[in-house]
Amino acid sequence: MEFRQLHYFLAVVEAGSVSAASRRVHVAQPALTRQIRLLEEDLETRLFDRHARGMQLTVAGRALVEEARELLDHRARIKSRLYALGSGLSGKLSLGITVTHLWVPQVAGLLSDYRQCYPGVAFEVFPLLSGPQLERLRDRRLDAGVLYLDSDAQPGLETRLLHCDHLILAVPEASQWSDSPPTRLADLEDAGIVWGFRQASPVYYDRMLAHFQRHAFTPRVIQYGADNIAILSMVAAGLGVAIVPAASSWHPMPGIRFLRLPELDDCDMPLWFAWRSGNDSPALANLIALVDEGSPPRG
């Protein structure tokens, strides 16, 4: 018994005759008659009583009508579901994003475009620092990540440059710096700095420290924060100043003023989109395609 034969069988039932069904399914009448005969032989029962006035369903034929419709509907649902999975129209996708960059236009636009294009995908977004993202990517607990990397050459990962960031100074609105902004890093030698932990984002931490060393600047750390949100919260509370990704200014926090310094502007902080090599998820492939459409050129 073939699905094609069940389709022909229902066409005959609904059209009322083989000749009318032949026109509906675009199959020659002799070929259609043969398929119905083969179906009856396979089922070892007559489905129609044939007489001069036409064809009439037998008891077995009437029972098959409902079963055939259910089988064909179920087949259509399976095909639709598998097509959606195979083309990335449904499924599940997990994405890690550094908290600071959730509001960056390139990142926010990517999330919005993906949701609009693929509303059937269960899209899970995890705010994670770069260090934990890298671990989860390599442990297959994340499909993709938006994070800091030291280069595009990452063992076991594929990458795309997503955003070119730099550093910025965050000071309390009530501080002296708010009214009299510093012009160079040396002006901050005696300032109390709110700092982050290296293990949270090693690449970001090392890149920033190396940049400070090139400018002979040693930060006087007085407080530590687990992530940039915690660091900025402490700045807003007046506990010190902080040097953070410029992307932080896309989501201003009450009580903070962001200040640009030329020596911070020239610290490149590239943000990368990364995923595990060999991940053949169609949902991920669609996200990569959107990234490729909007990725900045590599310099």
Side-chain angles (χ1 to χ4, degrees):
M1 181 173 60
E2 301 176 5
F3 285 111
R4 175 176 53 118
Q5 292 171 335
L6 293 177
H7 174 65
Y8 292 159
F9 166 74
L10 289 178
V12 173
V13 172
E14 292 165 2
S17 68
V18 173
S19 58
S22 172
R23 292 189 293 272
R24 174 181 292 189
V25 298
H26 306 291
V27 174
Q29 187 170 334
L32 185 57
T33 299
R34 172 171 172 74
Q35 290 301 319
I36 298 299
R37 292 285 189 190
L38 289 173
L39 179 60
E40 289 178 320
E41 291 176 8
D42 188 38
L43 296 174
E44 298 181 352
T45 186
R46 286 183 301 106
L47 300 174
F48 294 98
D49 283 329
R50 298 162 177 79
H51 48 74
R53 295 184 178 179
M55 302 172 65
Q56 184 175 358
L57 285 168
T58 63
V59 172
R62 288 195 294 272
L64 181 60
V65 170
E66 184 175 345
E67 297 289 346
R69 284 174 177 156
E70 288 184 5
L71 282 169
L72 291 175
D73 286 347
H74 187 56
R75 174 176 179 261
R77 287 194 298 272
I78 290 175
K79 286 181 65 177
S80 177
R81 178 170 177 269
L82 294 180
Y83 172 79
L85 285 170
S87 58
L89 298 176
S90 67
K92 182 179 176 182
L93 183 65
S94 58
L95 176 69
I97 300 178
T98 48
V99 178
T100 302
H101 294 91
L102 282 167
W103 294 274
V104 171
Q106 291 93 328
V107 177
L110 176 64
L111 301 184
S112 176
D113 290 346
Y114 190 80
R115 173 49 65 222
Q116 290 181 18
C117 293
Y118 306 101
V121 176
F123 196 21
E124 300 177 331
V125 177
F126 298 94
L128 292 167
L129 293 170
S130 298
Q133 277 195 61
L134 203 54
E135 292 177 8
R136 293 194 186 194
L137 281 171
R138 288 178 169 150
D139 291 346
R140 307 187 179 205
R141 288 180 288 157
L142 271 182
D143 288 312
V146 175
L147 69 166
Y148 290 112
L149 298 171
D150 52 7
S151 73
D152 59 348
Q154 296 294 318
L157 297 180
E158 302 288 336
T159 60
R160 297 287 188 278
L161 182 61
L162 189 63
H163 173 64
C164 298
D165 204 0
H166 56 89
L167 297 175
I168 199 168
L169 178 66
V171 303
E173 279 187 349
S175 75
Q176 60 172 343
W177 301 116
S178 186
D179 296 325
S180 240
T183 58
R184 57 199 183 104
L185 285 173
D187 296 338
L188 303 174
E189 285 288 354
D190 297 325
I193 304 289
V194 183
W195 199 247
F197 297 104
R198 183 181 184 277
Q199 63 265 31
S201 185
V203 171
Y204 169 77
Y205 185 99
D206 292 346
R207 199 178 189 96
M208 183 165 61
L209 204 58
H211 183 74
F212 292 164
Q213 289 171 351
R214 286 193 292 271
H215 289 277
F217 172 66
T218 302
R220 187 172 71 88
V221 179
I222 60 171
Q223 297 283 339
Y224 283 90
D227 56 32
N228 280 326
I229 298 298
I231 290 172
L232 290 172
S233 297
M234 286 189 274
V235 172
L239 302 184
V241 302
I243 296 171
V244 295
S248 304
S249 62
W250 285 105
H251 185 60
M253 296 181 66
I256 292 179
R257 186 176 175 192
F258 291 100
L259 306 173
R260 294 186 65 170
L261 276 72
E263 291 171 342
L264 295 181
D265 286 348
D266 66 6
C267 180
D268 293 330
M269 286 290 182
L271 190 71
W272 297 85
F273 178 84
W275 69 98
R276 180 177 48 80
S277 302
N279 187 338
D280 60 355
S281 162
L284 173 61
N286 289 334
L287 181 59
I288 295 168
L290 289 177
V291 171
D292 285 340
E293 289 176 10
S295 290
R298 300 193 185 189

